[in-house]
Amino acid sequence: MTQMQDNTPRPRPSILEITPYVPGESEVAGARKVFKLSSNESPLGPSPAAKEAFRAAAEHLTEYPDGTARDLRAAIAERHGLNPDNIVCGNGSDELLTLLAQAYLSPGDEAIHTEHGFLIYPVAIRAAGGVPVVAREENLTASVDAILEKVTERTKLVYLANPNNPTGTYLPIDELKRLQAALPAHTMLVIDAAYAEYVRRNDYEAGIELVSSSHNVVMTRTFSKAYGLAGLRIGWMYAPAHVADIINRIRGPFNVNVAALAAGAAAMRDAAHLQRAVEHNEHWREWLREELTKLGLRVTPSVANFLLIHFPDEPGKRAADADAFLKTRGLILRRVAGYGFPNALRMSIGTEEANRLLVDTLRKFLEGP
Ligand SMILES: *Cc1c(COP(=O)(O)O)cnc(C)c1O
């Protein structure tokens, strides 16, 4: 922890309790070709139309962006059948998750997240002076009953990643409805649906209907995953009018930049590209799950664009050993000890080349020298 003298400027005390978020690694020394499978980025990249719009935006760098993100919200609204007035865009969905905490938590208020939930939530909660409260999971899946057990008078927010990162598990929409129905009216449910595009299950819904029919539910989405635009930082939220109004008051007036607005709108209008990304993911996720299982590894069933791979509890065969072995061969996966998985790695679904190399390399690793 940072040492401070008595007379220096001091932040809110809860900020000193934040464990900084550690992004997925992106470099390895020595490897010829590197496959970054550590941050759930799209192996197909963005829509060609989005790249074109990005290039064209170079002609408009002198002007401030449209602070209302009118065209981007229109593209999102059209695609999802929403009222654009209920959409707020952000510099990544991280920004929106953080602004929700800033707006709705007063010092000492509680916000719930689940045991293996996304690590941005406790950062956002503490930065706002709030107290993170952890609800246990069952079978590496969020549990509505466990969340409800943690609700108190002071609970203002519940952050739920659905599907969750890094487990890839999800709650069916009926469970989300049950959760909303049982929450106090003053507690807001934040459904972080960063991976919604990838989910193909009949009992899954990202949460649009639930937002429309309640006053205390918001859904956040991102262009960083299936749309392949993580580098541009674009997220959006669908919220009741009273919540959209609050977030619009406190966000930066130009929080989404010119290039992001243009590329995001073009990406949203290219449904065929998104479809290709989702199909690629579905095919290779199932192939990888099968191949890794054949190698004797346990893989948590995932509906998203990554797999949580559990390693044997044997000397030389643990996740840390596998990580080192993979890295020297140019394969970067994500250590997830911070998420409560000291003996697992999270792998993003990659290109065919990366996926095949990963399986071959892990086979060699497990066979030993
Ligand atoms: C990747 C991810 C996000 C997206 O964050 P951005 O700021 O939009 O890039 C949000 N939530 C979860 C659970 C994620 O894994």
Side-chain angles (χ1 to χ4, degrees):
M1 193 168 287
T2 318
Q3 287 297 317
M4 273 183 243
Q5 288 170 348
D6 284 348
N7 58 353
T8 51
R10 300 184 75 83
R12 219 173 242 162
S14 61
I15 290 178
L16 296 174
E17 286 161 31
I18 292 175
T19 311
Y21 181 81
V22 183
E25 289 179 77
S26 56
E27 283 175 23
V28 282
R32 292 136 305 186
K33 186 166 179 182
V34 173
F35 297 93
K36 185 182 178 215
L37 305 175
S38 58
S39 299
N40 301 341
E41 294 144 344
S42 173
L44 270 59
S47 151
K51 284 195 201 177
E52 188 57 45
F54 177 85
R55 281 189 209 101
E59 300 306 318
H60 301 279
L61 301 185
T62 305
E63 303 134 42
Y64 276 99
D66 167 17
T68 69
R70 183 180 309 279
D71 186 51
L72 178 56
R73 287 187 301 115
I76 296 166
E78 216 169 288
R79 180 67 190 279
H80 291 276
L82 306 175
N83 180 344
D85 294 343
N86 295 88
I87 296 171
V88 181
C89 295
N91 185 38
S93 52
D94 282 354
E95 184 192 24
L96 299 167
L97 296 166
T98 300
L99 290 175
L100 286 163
Q102 294 291 336
Y104 289 94
L105 296 177
S106 297
D109 280 346
E110 296 171 4
I112 298 173
H113 64 84
T114 69
E115 190 178 347
H116 303 292
F118 190 38
L119 283 176
I120 289 290
Y121 309 147
V123 175
I125 295 163
R126 287 202 165 101
V131 179
V133 174
V134 180
R136 74 188 151 74
E137 299 188 3
E138 270 171 43
N139 293 324
L140 306 192
T141 308
S143 154
V144 167
D145 293 317
I147 292 170
L148 290 173
E149 277 167 25
K150 294 290 181 184
V151 172
T152 72
E153 283 279 286
R154 298 221 69 169
T155 309
K156 297 290 164 58
L157 294 171
V158 175
Y159 284 104
L160 183 70
N162 199 40
N164 185 46
N165 167 18
T167 53
T169 57
Y170 76 104
L171 284 183
I173 187 67
D174 285 352
E175 282 293 279
L176 261 55
K177 287 182 182 161
R178 184 164 78 84
L179 175 58
Q180 189 276 332
L183 283 176
H186 66 264
T187 303
M188 181 143 63
L189 172 61
V190 180
I191 305 171
D192 174 355
Y195 300 95
E197 288 80 6
Y198 291 113
V199 187
R200 290 179 163 176
R201 294 294 175 97
N202 290 334
D203 60 357
Y204 177 84
E205 270 174 44
I208 286 174
E209 259 189 64
L210 199 53
V211 173
S212 304
S213 61
S214 359
H215 63 278
N216 64 339
V217 182
V218 308
M219 172 193 71
T220 60
R221 303 284 288 263
T222 185
F223 284 74
S224 300
K225 307 291 157 57
Y227 288 96
L229 289 170
L232 275 185
R233 316 301 305 122
I234 321 167
W236 57 281
M237 133 183 135
Y238 178 55
H242 69 96
V243 179
D245 171 53
I246 293 298
I247 300 305
N248 276 325
R249 290 184 199 205
I250 64 168
R251 68 176 172 82
F254 307 107
N255 60 334
V256 185
N257 68 67
V258 164
L261 290 176
M268 186 55 65
R269 291 184 172 119
D270 187 350
H273 184 78
L274 181 73
Q275 181 75 7
R276 279 192 291 277
V278 172
E279 270 160 23
H280 173 94
N281 186 66
E282 178 114 338
H283 174 78
W284 288 102
R285 185 185 64 215
E286 293 318 300
W287 182 84
L288 281 161
R289 195 181 48 76
E290 252 174 59
E291 295 296 318
L292 295 170
T293 305
K294 278 192 227 157
L295 295 180
L297 295 167
R298 199 161 51 79
V299 180
T300 301
S302 166
V303 295
N305 70 335
F306 53 85
L307 292 171
L308 186 64
I309 309 169
H310 304 267
F311 285 82
D313 191 13
E314 290 166 30
K317 301 289 175 212
R318 298 195 175 101
D321 307 307
D323 189 39
F325 190 91
L326 291 166
K327 269 207 191 104
T328 59
R329 285 142 186 96
L331 289 157
I332 309 179
L333 273 64
R334 183 73 143 95
R335 299 291 304 272
V336 281
Y339 285 94
F341 300 110
N343 202 23
L345 296 176
R346 190 193 68 197
M347 169 199 185
S348 311
I349 309 305
T351 58
E352 171 169 1
E353 184 186 7
N355 298 335
R356 290 190 186 278
L357 179 65
L358 183 281
V359 169
D360 289 343
T361 309
L362 277 182
R363 183 179 296 116
K364 287 188 191 119
F365 166 73
L366 291 165
E367 280 167 359

